[in-house]
C-alpha cells in the first residue's frame, strides 16, 4: 500500500523526535532533535548557529532524517527516512512560518519564540530526494520497504 503525501506528513509530524544524519570528514554524524516539523513531506528544523550540524550542512547539504514512533508493536512497525538537501532559510517571513510550524507541535519551542530566544537560530528545509518507508504490516522483509524518489529543484541545482 503506497502512502500518499498527507499520510507521510502526518506520520512525520506525529513523531516525537527526529534523528538527523549529516556527514563530517567522510564520517556520519547523528543527533536527536525535537525542534522540527514537516511541511508536507519536507522536514523543517532550527538549531543554534554555532553547532557542528550547521558546519556539516554548510560543507555538505545532503542529510538523512529518521522518523520513528516510540513503543511500536513489531508486527505493525513503521519508520520513515527522508533523505535530501538541507536548504538554509534566511528570509524572515519564511523563518517565522517555520517557527509557527515547529511551535504548533512543540510547546517549549513556542515559549522560546515568545520570549525572543530564537535569535541565534538558523533554519533549514530539507528538500526530499528520497523517502524510504519500512512497513512491517506489509512484510518484515525487504518486501516491506517502499522507496519514493523525487527529483526536486534543490537536487537539480546541486547537479548543475
Amino acid at each position: 500500500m503506497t502512502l500518499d503525501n498527507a499520510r507521510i506528513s502526518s506520520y512525520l509530524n506525529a513523531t516525537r523526535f527526529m534523528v538527523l544524519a549529516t556527514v563530517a570528514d567522510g564520517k556520519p554524524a547523528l543527533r536527536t532533535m525535537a525542534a522540527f516539523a514537516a511541511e508536507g513531506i519536507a522536514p523543517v528544523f532550527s538549531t543554534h548557529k554555532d553547532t557542528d550540524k550547521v558546519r556539516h550542512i554548510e560543507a555538505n547539504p545532503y542529510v538523512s532524517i529518521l522518523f520513528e514512533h516510540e513503543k511500536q508493536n513489531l508486527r505493525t512497525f513503521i519508520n520513515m527516512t527522508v533523505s535530501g538537501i538541507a536548504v538554509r532559510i534566511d528570509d524572515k517571513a519564511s523563518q517565522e512560518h517555520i517557527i509557527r510550524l515547529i511551535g504548533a507541535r512543540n510547546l517549549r519551542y513556542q515559549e522560546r519564540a515568545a520570549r525572543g530566544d530564537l535569535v541565534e537560530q538558523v533554519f533549514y528545509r530539507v528538500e526530499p530526494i528520497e523517502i524510504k518507508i519500512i512497513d512491517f504490516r506489509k512484510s518484515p522483509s525487504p518486501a516491506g520497504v517502499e522507496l519514493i524518489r523525487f527529483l526536486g529543484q534543490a537536487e537539480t541545482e546541486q547537479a548543475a
Side-chain angles (χ1 to χ4, degrees):
M1 169 176 73
T2 301
L3 294 174
D4 61 29
N5 287 359
R7 289 178 62 198
I8 292 170
S9 180
S10 177
Y11 185 91
L12 301 182
N13 275 311
T15 304
R16 186 170 177 202
F17 299 103
M18 69 176 205
V19 179
L20 173 69
T22 59
V23 177
D25 302 319
K27 299 175 192 159
L30 300 170
R31 74 275 293 149
T32 302
M33 297 179 63
F36 73 92
E39 183 172 38
I41 59 172
V44 294
F45 65 92
S46 76
T47 188
H48 193 277
K49 66 179 183 174
D50 295 325
T51 61
D52 285 340
K53 67 182 97 41
V54 170
R55 287 185 281 282
H56 297 172
I57 291 169
E58 297 302 319
N60 179 351
Y62 286 92
V63 300
S64 287
I65 304 172
L66 173 68
F67 296 86
E68 184 175 296
H69 294 184
E70 299 174 354
K71 300 179 183 177
Q72 293 188 72
N73 180 304
L74 193 56
R75 287 187 305 258
T76 58
F77 177 85
I78 297 174
N79 76 19
M80 297 183 189
T81 302
V82 178
S83 298
I85 298 171
V87 177
R88 188 169 174 159
I89 305 300
D90 290 320
D91 72 273
K92 291 294 183 198
S94 295
Q95 289 176 352
E96 289 172 7
H97 177 68
I98 291 171
I99 290 168
R100 284 190 301 277
L101 288 173
I102 296 171
R105 62 177 307 282
N106 183 321
L107 182 59
R108 183 169 175 259
Y109 191 84
Q110 190 177 60
E111 292 167 351
R112 289 177 58 211
R115 287 192 310 263
D117 292 346
L118 301 179
V119 295
E120 301 274 320
Q121 297 288 296
V122 293
F123 300 85
Y124 291 97
R125 175 185 171 90
V126 177
E127 298 296 339
I129 294 172
E130 178 178 281
I131 297 177
K132 181 179 182 180
I133 302 165
I134 298 175
D135 186 347
F136 280 16
R137 296 172 307 172
K138 290 168 65 174
S139 173
S141 71
V145 176
E146 182 176 352
L147 202 56
I148 303 168
R149 292 200 41 85
F150 305 90
L151 182 59
Q153 182 67 27
E155 186 179 36
T156 303
E157 289 172 6
Q158 287 292 317

